[in-house]
Amino acid sequence: MRVPAFLLVLLAAAGCAGSPPPMHAEGPGERAAPAGAAAQAGEVNLSSAGEFTTNDTGVIAYDRTLVPEGAQVSVTVESSAGATRTSLVAEGLLPGRHYGAHLHAKPCGGKPDDAGPHYQHHPGQITPASEVWLDFTTDADGAGRSTAKQDWAFDPARLPGSLVIHAKPTVTSGPQAGTAGDRVACLTLR
């Protein structure tokens, strides 16, 4: 199996740091920060990566037509001092396709809806200023990248649980704003 360079770097860094501390749910749509994250004056760093499977509810493909065998994704979230930067890198998806992608409130599960609604910094506001939208278009090899920047920081007591990849690009205005078609894959944030 070919391991992309971005995954090798993440895996090497994770191996040096040891296992991440366990996380637990605080309530519907809320997750506690890893032990020690709150002690760093509100700094939040989340990073997850993996190959989409159908038997691991932390990295799962729901639609093998749009997320082929061997597809992989990496997400990094850095949040502190009133700003958040989220980066996504994907490989092995369909070439030349536009996918929607958002951070969601809950971790992935066996069903697409298990990840809950979009994470919203300002509850009830369906905009890229309140949510984290990471739409991307894949190149001829099925690779894509996206970065989102917000002028707010995550509350370590209320973190997003997952990244969900959608079948269509995000609708940016009107009554359907924020929708992006079926949920085709999910990566639980750790």
Side-chain angles (χ1 to χ4, degrees):
M1 175 177 92
R2 184 180 142 264
V3 179
F6 77 90
L7 283 178
L8 288 175
V9 171
L10 285 173
L11 293 172
C16 294
S19 298
M23 301 178 88
H24 64 281
E26 290 296 307
E30 295 185 357
R31 293 186 326 132
Q40 301 191 14
E43 183 175 321
V44 172
N45 293 300
L46 302 171
S47 182
S48 289
E51 183 174 326
F52 290 111
T53 67
T54 54
N55 58 0
D56 175 356
T57 58
V59 186
I60 190 165
Y62 301 114
D63 182 335
R64 278 295 181 199
T65 302
L66 298 179
V67 184
E69 187 87 23
Q72 301 176 17
V73 70
S74 168
V75 177
T76 302
V77 179
E78 298 169 330
S79 183
S80 65
T84 298
R85 179 184 173 101
T86 307
S87 299
L88 170 150
V89 177
E91 290 187 0
L93 297 173
L94 296 182
R97 182 172 176 85
H98 196 133
Y99 290 86
H102 313 108
L103 295 188
H104 279 246
K106 298 179 182 180
C108 306
K111 297 177 184 173
D113 288 342
D114 288 348
H118 293 180
Y119 175 89
Q120 294 178 336
H121 183 69
H122 305 288
Q125 290 186 18
I126 304 170
T127 67
S130 177
E131 300 182 349
V132 180
W133 295 0
L134 294 157
D135 288 20
F136 61 96
T137 301
T138 56
D139 63 17
D141 295 322
R145 296 177 178 273
S146 181
T147 299
K149 298 176 186 175
Q150 276 71 32
D151 62 358
W152 45 262
F154 283 115
D155 176 348
R158 190 175 72 88
L159 297 174
S162 60
L163 166 86
V164 172
I165 297 177
H166 294 267
K168 298 179 181 178
T170 304
V171 175
T172 58
S173 62
Q176 297 297 314
T179 62
D182 291 340
R183 299 173 185 201
V184 298
C186 188
L187 173 69
T188 295
L189 300 176
R190 303 183 202 285

